[in-house]
Amino acid sequence: MLVDTYGRVATDLRVSLTDRCNLRCTYCMPEEGLQWLAKPDLLTDDEIVRLVRIAVTRLGVTEVRFTGGEPLLRPGLTGIVERVAALAPRPRMSLTTNGIGLARTARALAAAGLDRVNVSLDTLRPDVFKALTRRARHHDVLAGLAAARDAGLTPVKVNTVLMPGYNDDEAPDLLDWAIAEGYELRFIEQMPLDAQHGWQRDGMVTAGDILESLRTRHTLAPEGDTERGSAPAERWLVDGGPYRVGVIGSVTRPFCAACDRTRLTADGQVRTCLFATEETDLRAALRRGTGPGHDDEIARIWRLAMWGKKAGSGLDDPSFLQPSRPMSAIGG
């Protein structure tokens, strides 16, 4: 198992497949992009599958989420999903994506064994989408969402970040739209993971702000901690149900005490937390050889890394140090 000194057990593995992205979201990276990882530094398809196999068969991982950057940019994605689906025990698999390219890949991913998707969409207005992402691809995201739903990659969850001066007035409209389309909407507080370090705590739209806005149009009742478990989102029944909306208050309502995640970057580093400032190298051990003995060593290193996981993210500390790598390089 991947257990830490606070008794938390990591069963949910987040795997970043690439640091590249085809959007330039203002809260993630600068307009000109970033210096991408060199190809030799990236894990190969075989290496990714091997690490997932070790996590599933030796370390107790039961959930695998593929992330990026933008994971649909990974040429071998469908093959990776198919090979992970063949593992015994088989983990549940999901994908976090910006939705661009999902219209042409959703059916293939479902056939390969992917269970569901999370799609990022921050606005219903194409002009605001272009301002936030610096790309005119709003229609592609909507098409990708519909394709995922039609392919059975459900529940389709929509991740939304509200930004002051852009889309902070859209919460009720987004919820009405999601209910009409059959998607599960989740609002996420803006986190300090932008490469340009422009995040400011006093300028963010908080979970409290989001709930207040939603209540101007709907009644919300908390689903409760029993239903939530280790999930990051507080879920609320909308107008008595059955529809739900989630709010992830990573900054103002941290959920670290119930965290069950371990993270693998695209270049083979273990991160114990999205906001961690330290990493543990698995790639070097991976490339020293194959076979049961080497897999045992990788599992040992992974266990040791997770044993040292901190109690919390540190976001509540005024001296918080922003992670040295942006979200696109870490994986959400």
Side-chain angles (χ1 to χ4, degrees):
M1 292 193 304
L2 293 171
V3 62
D4 64 35
T5 56
Y6 298 93
R8 295 169 298 192
V9 179
T11 57
D12 186 335
L13 171 61
R14 306 295 171 99
V15 183
S16 175
L17 298 180
T18 178
D19 59 330
R20 297 175 183 266
C21 188
N22 42 14
L23 297 180
R24 297 291 180 269
C25 297
T26 57
Y27 52 79
C28 185
M29 70 172 72
E31 187 170 4
E32 64 274 14
L34 301 168
Q35 183 175 350
W36 309 121
L37 292 167
K39 188 173 181 179
D41 293 334
L42 292 168
L43 295 177
T44 66
D45 293 0
D46 287 344
E47 288 172 336
I48 289 170
V49 173
R50 181 181 170 195
L51 286 175
V52 174
R53 174 175 54 78
I54 291 170
V56 169
T57 62
R58 296 169 184 253
L59 298 174
V61 163
T62 58
E63 303 265 347
V64 177
R65 171 84 62 86
F66 296 111
T67 70
E70 174 44 54
L72 293 180
L73 295 179
R74 178 89 186 200
L77 172 60
T78 302
I80 291 171
V81 170
E82 187 171 31
R83 292 168 68 184
V84 171
L87 294 175
R90 180 198 186 282
R92 283 191 56 81
M93 287 182 291
S94 57
L95 178 81
T96 295
T97 172
N98 62 28
I100 296 174
L102 191 55
R104 65 175 182 272
T105 56
R107 289 194 178 279
L109 288 168
L114 191 70
D115 294 301
R116 63 171 192 83
V117 295
N118 285 33
V119 180
S120 299
L121 180 65
D122 300 326
T123 178
L124 299 176
R125 305 192 294 252
D127 59 325
V128 175
F129 182 92
K130 185 175 181 180
L132 279 169
T133 67
R134 304 182 179 107
R135 299 289 188 271
R137 306 295 298 272
H138 189 258
H139 60 289
D140 292 320
V141 181
L142 294 180
L145 279 161
R149 181 188 58 206
D150 295 345
L153 295 173
T154 55
V156 176
K157 296 183 179 180
V158 177
N159 294 340
T160 296
V161 176
L162 296 182
M163 298 286 290
Y166 287 95
N167 60 342
D168 51 337
D169 61 334
E170 284 195 71
D173 291 339
L174 282 159
L175 180 54
D176 289 346
W177 165 80
I179 289 173
E181 295 293 333
Y183 307 138
E184 184 174 322
L185 182 62
R186 308 193 317 169
F187 292 97
I188 304 175
E189 287 182 338
Q190 183 196 3
M191 294 178 283
L193 292 169
D194 55 313
Q196 58 270 40
H197 292 201
W199 178 83
Q200 293 184 339
R201 185 185 298 268
D202 58 1
M204 60 177 287
V205 180
T206 68
D209 296 331
I210 295 164
L211 292 170
E212 182 179 357
S213 179
L214 293 174
R215 286 184 173 122
T216 63
R217 194 176 299 174
H218 297 281
T219 60
L220 303 178
E223 188 176 51
D225 292 338
T226 302
E227 293 292 334
R228 181 180 183 182
S230 61
E234 292 181 83
R235 295 206 307 180
W236 303 78
L237 292 172
V238 180
D239 299 330
Y243 301 107
R244 294 171 173 82
V245 63
V247 179
I248 300 178
S250 301
V251 178
T252 65
R253 303 186 184 197
F255 42 87
C256 302
C259 181
D260 65 350
R261 288 162 188 75
T262 182
R263 299 177 181 275
L264 185 65
T265 67
D267 55 350
Q269 310 300 305
V270 169
R271 295 181 68 92
T272 60
C273 174
L274 191 60
F275 303 103
T277 56
E278 299 175 348
E279 299 175 335
T280 300
D281 185 12
L282 289 186
R283 186 184 62 199
L286 191 70
R287 293 180 178 178
R288 280 198 290 267
T290 58
H294 287 93
D295 286 359
D296 288 342
E297 175 63 8
I298 291 167
R300 184 192 69 81
I301 296 170
W302 206 331
R303 288 192 191 98
L304 187 61
M306 294 305 296
W307 181 252
K309 184 174 182 174
K310 296 180 179 179
S313 64
L315 285 174
D316 54 350
D317 185 341
S319 62
F320 168 75
L321 293 176
Q322 185 163 332
S324 57
R325 297 211 274 177
M327 186 184 298
S328 62
I330 298 170

